[in-house]
């Protein structure tokens, strides 16, 4: 009998947080993505952040992905996410359209409303208005890609109607899941998310399965679901070494949260691992912990990142290898039968 279950895709995600100068961060991230492609990963995702180097190192994701596209041939290249309220929507539409052509149709576009309120101030905007701005800008992007007339009567060149089927929405909420479903977009679930005062010990699965339920309920009939589950994962050959590096990275992350006014949830390494929703250890250890996350049984895209452990670059490369050869296959992923380079102009 033929297996009709869609193949899960495997992704690598980075916020470009290596403890090196900006130019080296970009070099390292490009090498990490190229390594992911070599080991069969299907997708690579980068986040956009403005101003705050400790939160993320990349303000210009489409520029960076154009560089990566020239160094790769198969792996799909995504934004997770572009902070659309802070962007000129026509320029986003133009840059994404050109990037998709140059990369032979490999672009995936995640949009979000943004995080740090102070970033909006620097752009001359009010953070409280981000939702309204996002909705206006998204409508312009959609019209531009579809080839509809914009204000003044002009149309985008080149148009990119193919990108309308590759939009993703990130959300923490059930309402956001329903909104993404109604739009027919992909759903992006975070590696961690805030707990409520009523449910401080809720697991990610308990928080995110209802979001998936709402997304699937809102999805138009006949529209195939696209559900991305991102998780923090660092795999090493030695559990002791993995935990040593985890303690360094997670304590650094906890100190930043305290400095920002957040109350710590614990001080032991085990408490930090739980608070940051991290999976860390040898392949056998992380396979066991990931299998306990029932959300991952429902996703179409398994996406892993090393944040907030952020080990040295060579160990990130080794973690990528172990994920592809040991961990992801145990979770139901299998690489494509062959890795055929795409020909220039083959847009899909």
């Amino acid at each position: 009998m033929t297996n009709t279950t869609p193949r899960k895709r495997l992704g690598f995600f980075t916020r470009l947080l290596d403890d090196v100068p900006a130019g080296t961060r970009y070099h390292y991230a490009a090498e990490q993505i190229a390594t992911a492609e070599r080991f069969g990963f299907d997708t690579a995702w980068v986040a956009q952040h403005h101003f705050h180097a400790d939160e993320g190192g990349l303000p210009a994701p489409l520029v960076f992905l154009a560089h990566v596209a020239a160094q790769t041939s198969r792996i799909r290249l995504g934004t997770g996410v572009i902070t659309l309220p802070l962007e000129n929507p026509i320029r986003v539409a133009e840059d994404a359209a050109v990037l998709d052509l140059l990369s032979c149709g490999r672009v995936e576009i995640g949009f979000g409303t943004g995080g740090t309120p102070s970033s909006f101030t620097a752009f001359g905007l009010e953070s409280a208005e981000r939702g309204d701005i996002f909705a206006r800008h998204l409508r312009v992007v959609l019209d531009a890609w579809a080839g509809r007339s914009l204000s003044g009567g002009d149309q985008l060149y080149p148009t990119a109607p193919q990108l309308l089927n590759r939009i993703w929405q990130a959300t923490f909420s059930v309402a956001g899941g329903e909104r993404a479903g109604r739009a027919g977009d992909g759903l992006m679930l975070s590696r961690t998310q805030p707990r409520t005062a009523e449910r401080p010990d809720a697991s990610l699965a308990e928080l995110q399965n209802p979001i998936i339920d709402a997304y699937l309920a809102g999805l138009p009939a006949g529209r195939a679901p696209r559900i991305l589950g991102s998780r923090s994962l660092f795999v090493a050959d030695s559990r002791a070494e993995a935990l040593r590096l985890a303690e360094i990275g997670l304590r650094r992350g906890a100190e930043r949260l305290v400095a920002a006014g957040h109350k710590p949830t614990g001080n032991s390494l085990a408490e930090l691992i739980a608070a940051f929703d991290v999976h860390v250890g040898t392949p056998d250890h992380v396979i066991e912990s990931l299998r306990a996350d029932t959300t991952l049984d429902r996703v179409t895209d398994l996406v892993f990142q090393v944040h907030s452990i952020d080990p040295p670059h060579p160990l990130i490369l080794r973690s990528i290898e172990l994920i592809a050869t040991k961990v992801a296959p145990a979770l139901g992923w299998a690489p494509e039968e062959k890795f055929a380079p795409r020909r220039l102009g083959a847009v899909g």
Side-chain angles (χ1 to χ4, degrees), residues 10-14 29 32-33 36 41 43-45 303-305 316 320:
L10 177 62
F12 172 74
F13 179 95
T14 179
Q32 290 159 14
I33 293 171
F41 278 65
T43 62
W45 302 82
V303 177
F304 296 118
Q305 54 184 293
I316 295 176
I320 289 169

Side-chain angles (χ1 to χ4, degrees), residues 156-174:
L156 195 75
Y157 178 84
T159 57
Q162 72 279 3
L163 290 178
L164 296 171
N165 293 317
R166 299 196 228 130
I167 297 171
W168 298 75
Q169 293 190 36
T171 186
F172 285 153
S173 71
V174 169

